[in-house]
Amino acid sequence: MSTIRLRSPAAFWLALPAGLWMALAVVLPVLLIVWVSLWGGTSVSPNNPITFDNYQRFLSNQNYLWLIGDTLVQTAMIMAITGVLGYCIAYFLTVKVASPGWRVALFLAFVIPFWTSTLIRAIAFVPFLGVNGLLNQALMAIGLIERPIQAFLYSRLGISMAQVSLYTLLASGPVVYMLNSIPPALREAAMTLKAPPIIVFWRIILPLTLPGIVIGQVLVFLNVLADFITVTTVGGNKLAFLGNLILLFYEGSQIRATAVVSVLLMLLMLAGVTLALRVVDIRKIGG
Amino acid sequence: MTLADVPVIPQLDLELRHIRKRYGDFVAVNDVSLQVGKGQFICLLGPSGCGKTTTLRCVAGLEEPDAGDILIGGREVTGEPPWKRDIAMMFQDFALFPHMTVAKQVGFGLEMLKKPKAQIAARVAEVLKAFEIGHLAERRPAQLSGGQKQRVALARAMVTEPRILLLDEPIGALDYSLRETVMLELKTLQKRSGISFIWVTHDQNEAFSLGDHVVVMNHARIEQQGRPDEVLSRPRTAFVAGFIQGNNVLEGKAGLVRDGVLEVMTALGTFRVPLLDLAPPAAGSALSFSVRAERLIERPGEDVPNRIALRCITVEYFGAFRRHVLEGAGGTVVKYDQFGALPQSIREGENIVLGWSLDNGVLHRAPPA
Ligand SMILES: Nc1ncnc2c1ncn2[C@@H]1O[C@H](COP(=O)(O)OP(=O)(O)OP(=O)(O)O)[C@@H](O)[C@H]1O
Ligand SMILES: [Mg+2]
């Protein structure tokens, strides 16, 4: 079998279509947004002067700074919860469920709901969390509460519950993959070297699944930051994060502010991914 | 048999009493009993799937036997988890931790024993030096060759000086040229350390050259165990005789017993085989015996009691010996090995009489009915 060497003509031509597509569909629009965010003046015209005024105006508004902070806090919280929950689910599925048949069944039960679109899943939370929703009825039925809790829907709590359930799979998928790639003999070798199960987990399993955890966290980070659908459907109009702000400005035809927030959001994402890459080298995974 | 009937012998490093392990309906280890004295080198030998690894894993505590007892250093450990047993194990593909450097890896067992840091560092340095891998201390497993990995795995297992080291085909992953050297080293190491080795292999050369005690397994059971020379010169069952290279296994029916010698009627004729410690079998019962290929005599004199008329089919020269494959009545194949670089004395296609003296016939235990 012949191989394709890096920098050979074949490699160049093979990479060209994907490269073109990336340039047209990703790089160009991003450059456009960056450009618009730097427009001075008030008109929509390519002849606008370039300035940082829009950023200055946005970042000098205390409310907006709060919103950025709030978005980051929410994201961090969802990352922490989905991280722990996702890891537990992954560990349970791959390590504790011994029968392969059950493992596949449980895994599918866990994954299939995620085949529907994010919007539909987000909307599905409305009847679940509402005042007469499933959750309230269930809690009342078992006698934990007497009156329905209003705070589930159109609240931070509701948004968080929805986001946790929406994004746990993202946190746990990469961990399942990493756990599956650990040979059972490693665990056994550690045990014969006098390591009890907790130490085996701490010293062998956790470090070896770390890349999976980080990738999962990056996925959750990106998705929560970009998530405006859950926030509007489950949160009503009472709450907004950065993603909603983009929509808000856009609907208000404030094209410069829209671009500014978009660029800031992208910078945040970029910073997060860069940080993650410092922790693990994605290229080494699977090798 | 209950525990109370059996005296606990403290000088034994390991004792297995009637171990039995099932996977569903399949019995992987059946009634395996074994005693390992202080600092012995035991080889578990047998064909693929006979239950060697499973037996080893039972000793390690990685599998729990369905019946039987395991004693390590005279202490009952049957229900105890691996981390509470005084053993170490070397895995076939070494099972090195990919995220740890060689030094960290080798120190892992000492860390688990909660030794002080300085002491661990000193001991690790000492062991790495002894295994001639000191220069690899900061490498990770992915940066090691097969032979180097093997040394690291061995150093990691031996650093805590366990009572027993379990080795599952420890040199199976090495290439041939390296095996011989490593075998010698390991044998020397075992003698010096006084740690009992239980070495699983399906290679009989390995087993017979290394072991103080060889255990031959087949179909989940122990067929025979004993000193290597004992097993080699006196296979007790047809399986062992057939499994060990260089045996001619002949099947037949029991005849009369006279002066401790049994007459056996086979397709090749009637032969006289000493009973030794076996009970005389009922006349007419099926049995087998074996004769080593190098114990056959060409053109025997009148005083040799056992003789066969054969036709030579092929002659192969192996350097150390020449193997003749011959055929007798009823198509029975007989091997005859001639050692000592003598000139070829039997041509292919030649008819010849071979024989063997009385004490070279080894009678097997009657097969279970
Ligand atoms: N976890 C398991 N579940 C079901 N059957 C098993 C399991 N482990 C081993 N066996 C079966 O038990 C038998 C003995 O296996 P074992 O691994 O002990 O063989 P072995 O003597 O080590 O063979 P080899 O030389 O090929 O390594 C085999 O037939 C195997 O298929
Ligand atoms: Mg095996």
Side-chain angles (χ1 to χ4, degrees):
Chain A
M1 200 181 76
S2 69
T3 54
I4 295 167
R5 269 166 296 129
L6 230 57
R7 290 184 210 297
S8 70
F12 174 78
W13 289 111
L14 280 171
L16 191 65
L20 270 179
W21 171 254
M22 285 291 284
L24 285 176
V26 181
V27 180
L28 204 64
V30 167
L31 287 178
L32 213 63
I33 292 173
V34 173
W35 184 39
V36 171
S37 76
L38 295 173
W39 277 358
T42 50
S43 64
V44 176
S45 139
N47 301 324
N48 282 324
I50 298 295
T51 137
F52 278 98
D53 282 356
N54 301 326
Y55 286 93
Q56 206 166 19
R57 211 171 311 127
F58 181 82
L59 290 174
S60 59
N61 186 329
Q62 201 67 46
N63 290 332
Y64 292 151
L65 288 183
W66 258 111
L67 196 97
I68 293 177
D70 202 24
T71 306
L72 288 177
V73 167
Q74 174 74 8
T75 309
M77 187 183 77
I78 300 298
M79 282 166 70
I81 297 174
T82 55
V84 173
L85 200 63
Y87 200 97
C88 291
I89 292 172
Y91 194 82
F92 176 77
L93 277 182
T94 46
V95 180
K96 293 293 170 191
V97 180
S99 130
W102 267 109
R103 192 177 308 155
V104 172
L106 286 173
F107 196 71
L108 284 181
F110 180 45
V111 170
I112 285 175
F114 289 85
W115 290 352
T116 50
S117 87
T118 319
L119 180 64
I120 291 173
R121 277 180 293 139
I123 291 171
F125 268 93
V126 175
F128 180 73
L129 296 173
V131 173
N132 290 317
L134 224 54
L135 185 59
N136 269 321
Q137 285 182 6
L139 286 177
M140 283 196 291
I142 58 173
L144 269 180
I145 53 170
E146 284 180 0
R147 252 164 298 142
I149 295 175
Q150 305 266 350
F152 286 146
L153 199 56
Y154 307 131
S155 73
R156 183 97 174 213
L157 181 66
I159 294 174
S160 304
M161 278 164 47
Q163 285 186 329
V164 164
S165 98
L166 290 177
Y167 301 129
T168 298
L169 180 77
L170 296 180
S172 109
V175 176
V176 169
Y177 176 78
M178 293 310 286
L179 277 173
N180 273 328
S181 65
I182 299 177
L186 292 191
R187 201 184 303 256
E188 295 176 348
M191 289 198 288
T192 60
L193 289 167
K194 310 281 169 294
I198 293 180
I199 306 288
V200 175
F201 176 77
W202 192 246
R203 297 288 306 275
I204 311 293
I205 307 300
L206 195 60
L208 288 178
T209 46
L210 187 64
I213 299 175
V214 173
I215 292 177
Q217 291 286 290
V218 168
L219 292 178
V220 174
F221 173 77
L222 295 180
N223 275 275
V224 176
L225 270 189
D227 181 0
F228 59 92
I229 294 175
T230 317
V231 181
T232 43
T233 50
V234 181
N237 283 327
K238 287 207 265 172
L239 285 149
F241 294 117
L242 268 190
N244 303 83
L245 202 57
I246 296 178
L247 201 64
L248 223 62
F249 282 141
Y250 181 75
E251 282 168 349
S253 298
Q254 294 175 285
I255 186 169
R256 289 172 183 73
T258 311
V260 164
V261 185
S262 301
V263 170
L264 288 178
L265 195 60
M266 283 191 282
L267 285 177
L268 278 179
M269 290 175 169
L270 204 63
V273 173
T274 313
L275 193 73
L277 284 184
R278 286 188 164 247
V279 183
V280 286
D281 189 345
I282 284 189
R283 284 163 300 178
K284 277 195 191 143
I285 291 167
Chain B
M1 190 160 41
T2 64
L3 257 184
D5 301 337
V6 188
V8 175
I9 312 170
Q11 59 266 32
L12 286 183
D13 272 347
L14 172 70
E15 189 177 358
L16 302 182
R17 292 177 184 159
H18 310 286
I19 297 296
R20 190 183 158 83
K21 173 74 192 172
R22 252 176 314 168
Y23 293 113
D25 287 339
F26 181 80
V27 183
V29 175
N30 199 353
D31 196 27
V32 164
S33 295
L34 177 66
Q35 298 197 333
V36 180
K38 264 227 132 344
Q40 270 199 305
F41 201 125
I42 310 286
C43 286
L44 277 185
L45 175 67
S48 189
C50 70
K52 306 178 296 287
T53 298
T54 309
T55 307
L56 206 66
R57 290 172 60 83
C58 285
V59 176
L62 297 170
E63 303 282 353
E64 198 171 337
D66 297 306
D69 300 300
I70 301 169
L71 287 85
I72 293 176
R75 195 170 64 89
E76 165 95 36
V77 297
T78 316
E80 284 191 358
W83 57 92
K84 292 199 176 146
R85 300 189 181 192
D86 195 2
I87 51 107
M89 183 154 173
M90 208 178 129
F91 291 75
Q92 176 160 15
D93 48 7
F94 308 134
L96 297 178
F97 306 134
H99 58 300
M100 289 189 198
T101 63
V102 167
K104 200 83 187 146
Q105 191 115 219
V106 172
F108 188 81
L110 296 168
E111 268 185 71
M112 293 302 111
L113 296 179
K114 305 208 166 52
K115 293 272 193 303
K117 274 215 165 67
Q119 199 180 325
I120 293 178
R123 174 92 177 111
V124 167
E126 178 190 313
V127 169
L128 290 185
K129 187 152 171 277
F131 282 84
E132 294 170 20
I133 45 176
H135 59 293
L136 306 175
E138 291 313 312
R139 295 226 197 142
R140 280 168 207 273
Q143 303 161 314
L144 300 174
S145 75
Q148 290 168 336
K149 279 185 193 158
Q150 198 260 357
R151 277 162 190 275
V152 174
L154 191 67
R156 183 180 75 174
M158 290 192 66
V159 73
T160 55
E161 298 181 323
R163 186 183 288 268
I164 305 169
L165 179 61
L166 309 167
L167 307 102
D168 195 352
E169 307 200 20
I171 59 176
L174 301 184
D175 67 62
Y176 263 100
S177 57
L178 214 63
R179 284 191 198 177
E180 207 115 306
T181 340
V182 173
M183 259 163 70
L184 268 174
E185 276 181 11
L186 284 175
K187 179 78 188 174
T188 322
L189 182 72
Q190 188 270 333
K191 279 218 181 97
R192 216 176 43 220
S193 65
I195 296 173
S196 276
F197 275 30
I198 301 183
W199 176 297
V200 162
T201 177
H202 53 247
D203 182 319
Q204 43 187 295
N205 294 330
E206 235 173 87
F208 289 114
S209 62
L210 287 171
D212 301 323
H213 187 89
V214 175
V215 179
V216 185
M217 288 185 71
N218 185 35
H219 288 318
R221 287 178 181 276
I222 293 183
E223 288 268 338
Q224 183 174 0
Q225 52 178 313
R227 287 200 321 272
D229 55 317
E230 232 172 67
V231 177
L232 275 174
S233 62
R234 253 210 97 195
R236 303 304 299 254
T237 68
F239 168 79
V240 177
F243 186 69
I244 296 168
Q245 283 158 16
N247 268 314
N248 290 301
V249 182
L250 299 173
E251 288 172 355
K253 284 192 162 41
L256 296 174
V257 179
R258 205 181 309 138
D259 299 334
V261 176
L262 176 72
E263 261 183 354
V264 183
M265 277 87 76
T266 74
L268 287 173
T270 300
F271 304 107
R272 299 173 38 135
V273 186
L275 269 179
L276 297 178
D277 56 348
L278 294 176
S285 60
L287 49 72
S288 62
F289 67 95
S290 53
V291 189
R292 290 204 59 80
E294 76 274 10
R295 295 294 171 85
L296 294 175
I297 313 165
E298 282 172 45
R299 303 179 179 90
E302 288 304 317
D303 55 326
V304 175
N306 298 306
R307 325 161 62 86
I308 334 172
L310 296 160
R311 201 174 65 86
C312 182
I313 307 171
T314 54
V315 181
E316 289 171 82
Y317 193 49
F318 287 100
F321 64 95
R322 181 179 286 119
R323 166 158 295 175
H324 307 75
V325 180
L326 309 104
E327 202 181 51
T332 315
V333 170
V334 172
K335 290 169 291 190
Y336 161 53
D337 292 346
Q338 179 193 54
F339 281 81
L342 298 170
Q344 184 169 350
S345 54
I346 307 175
R347 278 173 291 108
E348 291 184 3
E350 187 179 336
N351 287 316
I352 186 165
V353 175
L354 296 181
W356 67 92
S357 64
L358 189 66
D359 52 355
N360 279 327
V362 178
L363 191 64
H364 302 150
R365 273 198 303 257

